[in-house]
DNA sequence: CAGTGGTCTAGACCACTGG
DNA sequence: CAGTGGTCTAGACCACTGC
């Protein structure tokens, strides 16, 4: 095959020679398979919103032609992205950009489930924004979001009720710049997952998240919002959510009541 | 190619016709790709300990010859199993049966990590078996282990200390039959992950697990063993661990102190 | 029926490991 | 250097979807 031009730009006079993809330093050769390069190009297109969440990307044959590689190579690149939940393959229909809306699983990142799995699961959550304002990032928030202390962030607090029982209290912080224009009303009025709103209104797609769990006791205000006393142990869930390229876009601190729900996790 | 004999048994007079792999009922055709069948055969060999944990399985070419398929098909089957952490591929060396011993990550299923990631992580845990006896399964334990109430199970309780601080209190139940001969001494004397002991001594390899997390308060006995008071919130981790073919082989209830550690989880 | 992803093959070549 | 897994290709055919 050819190790030539794979960038979106016209070929930069190849002909020269040398093995593919050297690191800048005189270090190891750092061999990079073709399909990884294709994967990076696809990632770039996703990031630049060439294809938007929910839309179909070009067929494997088209992509193979565009990048001048075989279908199998494109296929492997797409397999990788599909494994990471960035793309969704649907036989006979095409390959689609994953989205937080229109997914029959409402909350993709929420692991809290009712203890006794009621027949049809559980009714939808009732959400209520308790607070929403712009302020300057504390050191802790700045660290989580890779900002500088004092940069503008948007903070919101909300309560989620299941079967009319307040179950989750969440404080969340968003970087001010990408979420310019987000208001309490917009958050309150939107029906559907919050991440779907971020996707459609701000072009910010959450791809993965890291959570840190602890058992804690609530302070008086938190206890009141969850209708428990301050001696009730709660599950503290600290989350940083990332977009493409590991850029943090949300810091969230949740308090979960676990008297009728539990956090489900799978170890593989 | 041929859709003939792939079982370990001689071919059952083929010749007839019809599309491959019908469900017993007159339902859907239930098409099963070749690589899935190969995967099932490999799984069977793993289950029957034809290749033991840590050992290499035959090369892709050998397996392709054995099953009369192309290398690519074997490859895809192995890819699947490697994705599920049942096999480990090592370029240039071979493909190995995954194991809980000799893995530089000591506890593969333990998600508790120190808050401030100390430079070299953390020293090894000190383990102490507090209790170990055989008894009849309660309804709860029986349900978790797919046994009948009253069947013999082995119960153990242990405390794990990190940097000499008691941090984890675990109660665990094992089905009596597969773990015949397991004693408190054996558990106490063994150095290394408990699942490695199960593997080498009883041929029971834990493949995956489901956990349910809650925030709880300890009773007096639990609090004493963890050196906290009964008002200290603790993370309750209920785990069922499975061998091949989704057979439950361990039920475990852990209480984690989260004052200096947290449970780390990744959402993808 | 055309178009998409999914499977399977055969063969070439590359990168890595160990003796 | 031989053997292993890893990449890449080209082509055939299959299963599924929608029109």
């Amino acid at each position: 095959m050819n190790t030539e031009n794979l960038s979106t730009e016209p070929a930069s006079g190849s002909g020269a020679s040398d093995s593919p993809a050297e690191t800048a330093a005189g270090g190891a050769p750092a061999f990079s398979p073709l399909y990884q390069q294709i994967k990076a190009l696809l990632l770039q297109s996703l990031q630049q919103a060439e294809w938007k969440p929910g839309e179909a990307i070009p067929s494997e044959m088209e992509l193979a032609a565009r990048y001048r590689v075989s279908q199998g190579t494109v296929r492997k690149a797409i397999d990788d992205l599909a494994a990471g939940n960035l793309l969704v393959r649907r036989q006979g229909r095409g390959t689609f950009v994953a989205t937080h809306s229109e997914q029959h699983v409402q909350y993709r990142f929420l692991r809290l489930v009712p203890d006794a799995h009621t027949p049809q699961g559980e009714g939808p959550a009732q959400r209520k924004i308790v607070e929403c304002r712009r302020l300057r990032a504390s050191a802790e928030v700045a660290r989580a979001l890779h900002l500088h202390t004092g940069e503008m962030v948007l903070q919101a607090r909300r309560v989620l009720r299941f079967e009319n029982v307040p179950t989750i209290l969440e404080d969340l912080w968003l970087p001010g710049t990408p979420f310019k224009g987000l208001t309490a009303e917009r958050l309150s009025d939107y029906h559907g997952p919050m991440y779907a709103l971020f996707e459609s209104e701000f072009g910010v797609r959450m791809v993965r998240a890291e959570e840190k769990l602890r058992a804690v006791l609530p302070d008086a205000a938190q206890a009141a919002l969850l209708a428990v006393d301050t001696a009730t142990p709660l599950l503290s869930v600290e989350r940083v959510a990332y977009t493409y390229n590991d850029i943090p876009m949300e810091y969230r601190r949740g308090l979960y009541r676990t008297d009728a729900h539990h956090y489900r996790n799978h170890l593989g």
Side-chain angles (χ1 to χ4, degrees), chain A:
Chain A
M1 48 79 46
N2 46 33
T3 316
E4 36 177 304
N5 158 38
L6 276 181
S7 69
T8 48
E9 293 304 308
S12 56
S14 53
S17 61
D18 66 20
S19 53
E22 302 268 353
T23 36
F31 163 74
S32 173
L34 239 192
Y35 78 89
Q36 295 267 18
Q37 303 176 39
I38 305 297
K39 186 179 160 187
L41 291 176
L42 291 174
L43 213 36
Q44 193 179 315
S45 290
L46 287 170
Q47 201 174 344
Q48 298 169 357
E50 179 177 339
W51 315 302
K52 300 195 187 60
E55 291 180 4
I57 71 172
S59 75
E60 296 179 353
M61 292 302 274
E62 283 181 81
L63 291 170
R66 174 195 302 196
Y67 298 127
R68 312 290 196 74
V69 298
S70 77
Q71 187 200 5
T73 301
V74 169
R75 191 169 180 72
K76 178 137 189 172
I78 292 179
D79 277 346
D80 265 29
L81 295 172
N85 292 314
L86 297 185
L87 296 176
V88 177
R89 322 193 71 141
R90 283 182 234 178
Q91 178 169 155
R93 305 224 276 130
T95 301
F96 301 77
V97 182
T99 174
H100 286 273
S101 18
E102 84 174 63
Q103 253 174 210
H104 49 282
V105 178
Q106 275 292 28
Y107 299 93
R108 236 191 82 214
F109 284 178
L110 181 59
R111 298 295 193 88
L112 198 71
V113 298
D115 282 336
H117 21 230
T118 36
Q120 299 307 324
E122 202 176 34
Q126 296 104 42
R127 293 156 300 172
K128 184 174 177 195
I129 303 292
V130 176
E131 193 186 318
C132 181
R133 63 177 201 271
R134 292 180 176 274
L135 43 75
R136 300 193 173 276
S138 67
E140 184 189 15
V141 170
R143 184 166 10 91
L145 294 177
H146 291 189
L147 301 175
H148 293 110
T149 305
E151 282 195 77
M152 291 306 293
V153 296
L154 188 145
Q155 188 209 345
R157 163 172 282 198
R158 69 167 179 174
V159 174
L160 273 70
R161 297 173 156 259
F162 294 102
E163 315 292 350
N164 209 29
V165 177
T167 306
I168 297 180
L169 168 62
E170 285 179 324
D171 286 298
L172 58 91
W173 292 264
L174 304 169
T177 312
F179 289 96
K180 189 180 302 189
L182 182 54
T183 63
E185 292 70 40
R186 199 75 195 80
L187 276 175
S188 298
D189 295 349
Y190 190 78
H191 293 278
M194 192 179 280
Y195 288 166
L197 172 68
F198 294 171
E199 229 173 62
S200 56
E201 299 293 313
F202 303 92
V204 175
R205 166 157 167 69
M206 301 304 186
V207 159
R208 65 176 194 90
E210 296 282 351
E211 292 192 333
K212 295 180 184 180
L213 281 64
R214 288 182 187 81
V216 302
L217 294 178
D219 63 31
Q222 294 165 338
L225 286 165
L226 286 173
V228 297
D229 58 65
T230 54
T232 303
L234 298 173
L235 187 60
S236 160
V237 180
E238 195 180 311
R239 176 195 294 176
V240 179
Y242 299 85
T243 353
Y244 299 113
N245 286 64
D246 292 333
I247 300 171
M249 274 297 187
E250 182 201 55
Y251 177 56
R252 188 187 288 217
R253 292 195 49 175
L255 284 181
Y256 297 2
R257 276 180 61 173
T258 55
D259 47 345
H261 294 74
H262 61 269
Y263 183 103
R264 167 165 261 174
N265 197 27
H266 180 89
L267 308 178

